[in-house]
Amino acid sequence: MAVLRSLAAVGAVPGLWWGAARAAAGLWGRCPRRGYAADPAQSPPTFGFLLDIDGVLVRGHRVIPAALEAFRRLVNSHGQLRVPVVFVTNAGNILQQSKAQELSALLGFKVEPDQVILSHSPMKLFSQYHSKRMLVSGQGPLVENARALGFENVVTVDELRMAFPVLDMVDLQRRPKTTPLLRNDFPAIEGVLLLGEPVRWETSLQLIMDVLLSNGNPGTGLATAPYPHLPVLASNMDLLWMAEAKMPRFGHGTFLLCLETIYQKMTGKELRYEGLMGKPSVLTYQYAEDLIRQQAERRGWAAPIRTLYAIGDNPMSDVYGANLFHKYLQMAKRDGAEEQGAGGLWKQRPSATQSCASILVCTGVYSPKGTEPTQPAQGVEEAPFHGHRDFSFSPGLMEASHIVNDVNEAVQLVFHKEGWVL
């Protein structure tokens, strides 16, 4: 986490963005209309795409029409991608295989599971916790996801509630009618996995707090809460996300904010994370970069991938994350430092990637007219910072390299810059 904080604290640095840099006020301006003539010059790809999903390709369960147009350009006549593409989403309440199938059906071409990065995918690297007994919070195929990540011994919030029914007292209908016998045969919990927003927030908040305050023995009580507390791994820091509703919906970042606030209020100390994954984490972009490289190698594209284009709809997660990763690449290149992340967990071959450009679209969270609560209107005071507590506010990192209407215009923009046929 120190790596992320130090990078985020750097803020806007000359040369962080290439091309025509936008003034800060331009971020909140109108999405430009662009049109490019096709350039016949084309060569093996030296660039790849990191595509967000919600608000870029789909809104809820509906595909955005521009996404279909974009993939008509990205996929050749044989149904194969012309350039390496990885889908990087902060969603996590679904299996990787299921997300790939869902995207295949929506976009009309075969998406492989290893082209999809869920918010918690980099947890595969945290092998020191894989054998520990972990409480897992979220919804959907929780146990399957945890096991796919390498965690061998997990307990769900529902299983914990059933073992200790007196812990869950908010819903009057679920309160036990009699006082059950206190269990002393329940193995201690050794850590907490937060994979996504749960359905019953009050139950998850209460039981996670019970585990942290009791050092993993929620059936007992401690006179003093242990600190440091049990290890906590979390993914998806998005405060908000965009579905079919006109206004953004609460994301897992909102749940984390609740948990952090409750812990701070009850203990007077800060909730600490052993790992925070999902955009805008540098570790997530390192993970995506490696999948892009592997994809290019499988296709026989010998030229190294030197530029990544990250297309998203959320200035805080997509733009901030891409710019933070770009800054990381520049620092690693300048200092000649070994590329690592998450306390040295990530060790890969020397990176050929030289830059990561952020492209912001206007089909999701970002509103070009300032009508969404996530963005300020022209002449209105600066919007509040919606990023996670552990990522310093740096206005420059939220300034996109380019702003376009939709993902189809983004692909056209990139093809034009790279000299590719549209």
Side-chain angles (χ1 to χ4, degrees):
M1 299 314 299
V3 173
L4 297 182
R5 282 174 172 157
S6 63
L7 282 170
V10 171
V13 175
L16 178 58
W17 307 278
W18 40 270
R22 289 182 178 273
L27 177 62
W28 315 119
R30 184 170 206 158
C31 285
R33 290 283 177 186
R34 287 188 172 94
Y36 299 114
D39 190 328
Q42 185 170 324
S43 56
T46 58
F47 63 97
F49 286 98
L50 308 181
L51 299 182
D52 183 30
I53 297 176
D54 292 301
V56 175
L57 306 178
V58 301
R59 286 281 294 265
H61 296 289
R62 294 184 295 108
V63 66
I64 295 173
L68 300 177
E69 292 296 322
F71 276 91
R72 290 189 184 100
R73 303 180 190 279
L74 289 170
V75 177
N76 64 23
S77 59
H78 303 291
Q80 295 178 314
L81 287 167
R82 299 168 63 195
V83 298
V85 173
V86 168
F87 302 89
V88 188
T89 176
N90 271 353
N93 294 321
I94 189 172
L95 292 172
Q96 190 178 33
Q97 173 74 34
S98 300
K99 195 66 179 178
Q101 292 174 347
E102 178 184 296
L103 287 171
S104 298
L106 289 170
L107 299 176
F109 85 102
K110 176 67 172 177
V111 176
E112 299 295 339
D114 62 4
Q115 289 179 277
V116 177
I117 298 178
L118 303 175
S119 61
H120 46 63
S121 293
M123 285 189 186
K124 294 175 183 177
L125 303 175
F126 288 76
S127 57
Q128 69 270 41
Y129 301 111
H130 288 173
S131 62
K132 294 186 179 295
R133 185 170 169 83
M134 305 290 284
L135 176 68
V136 59
S137 169
Q139 59 181 288
L142 275 179
V143 174
E144 295 94 326
N145 265 326
R147 288 178 177 162
L149 295 170
F151 295 94
E152 303 162 4
N153 190 1
V154 295
V155 179
T156 67
V157 170
D158 279 342
E159 289 171 339
L160 184 63
R161 183 182 70 83
M162 295 299 291
F164 300 98
V166 296
L167 300 182
D168 186 22
M169 301 296 283
V170 172
D171 188 341
L172 298 178
Q173 299 300 317
R174 298 212 302 182
R175 286 187 184 181
K177 301 300 185 282
T178 60
T179 302
L181 293 175
L182 187 64
R183 289 188 58 170
N184 57 12
D185 62 341
F186 195 83
I189 291 171
E190 300 173 284
V192 179
L193 286 178
L194 305 175
L195 299 188
E197 58 269 28
V199 175
R200 287 181 172 265
W201 285 31
E202 78 285 354
T203 298
S204 292
L205 289 169
Q206 178 70 75
L207 271 62
I208 292 168
M209 284 298 302
D210 288 337
V211 166
L212 295 176
L213 297 179
S214 67
N215 205 33
N217 296 282
T220 66
L222 295 179
T224 303
Y227 199 82
H229 53 69
L230 293 174
V232 178
L233 299 174
S235 63
N236 185 357
M237 297 163 271
D238 285 351
L239 189 76
L240 303 166
W241 68 288
M242 203 69 194
E244 290 97 340
K246 298 298 183 182
M247 296 177 65
R249 304 293 86 195
F250 290 155
H252 193 222
T254 305
F255 179 82
L256 296 181
L257 178 61
C258 293
L259 181 62
E260 293 157 8
T261 304
I262 294 169
Y263 189 88
Q264 176 77 39
K265 193 71 172 179
M266 291 185 66
T267 68
K269 297 181 175 66
E270 185 178 86
L271 182 73
R272 297 171 58 182
Y273 298 96
E274 294 302 314
L276 272 174
M277 279 137 278
K279 298 173 291 187
S281 164
V282 165
L283 183 60
T284 292
Y285 286 85
Q286 288 178 304
Y287 197 87
E289 176 196 14
D290 201 47
L291 292 187
I292 287 282
R293 176 187 57 78
Q294 293 177 33
Q295 193 178 138
E297 288 178 353
R298 286 196 302 270
R299 292 292 301 275
W301 293 322
I305 303 301
R306 301 198 178 278
T307 306
L308 297 178
Y309 294 94
I311 303 175
D313 69 307
N314 190 325
M316 185 51 240
S317 59
D318 299 309
V319 174
Y320 187 112
N323 288 341
L324 186 63
F325 184 55
H326 178 84
K327 182 61 185 172
Y328 166 82
L329 292 171
Q330 302 307 299
M331 291 176 65
K333 180 180 178 182
R334 182 190 67 213
D335 301 337
E338 180 182 6
E339 296 197 20
Q340 295 186 1
L345 289 172
W346 182 265
K347 296 180 181 178
Q348 62 174 29
R349 68 182 67 183
S351 173
T353 304
Q354 298 177 347
S355 63
C356 182
S358 53
I359 303 179
L360 183 63
V361 299
C362 304
T363 50
V365 168
Y366 173 71
S367 169
K369 298 179 181 177
T371 55
E372 302 289 0
T374 54
Q375 314 297 346
Q378 293 277 2
V380 178
E381 65 181 58
E382 187 175 295
F385 179 58
H386 285 169
H388 188 267
R389 175 201 69 191
D390 290 356
F391 289 75
S392 302
F393 175 55
S394 179
L397 290 177
M398 294 174 65
E399 182 182 348
S401 304
H402 306 278
I403 302 177
V404 297
N405 278 287
D406 51 48
V407 67
N408 185 39
E409 287 192 11
V411 169
Q412 291 183 66
L413 167 68
V414 172
F415 277 17
H416 175 74
K417 290 178 66 65
E418 297 290 336
W420 271 50
V421 173
L422 295 177

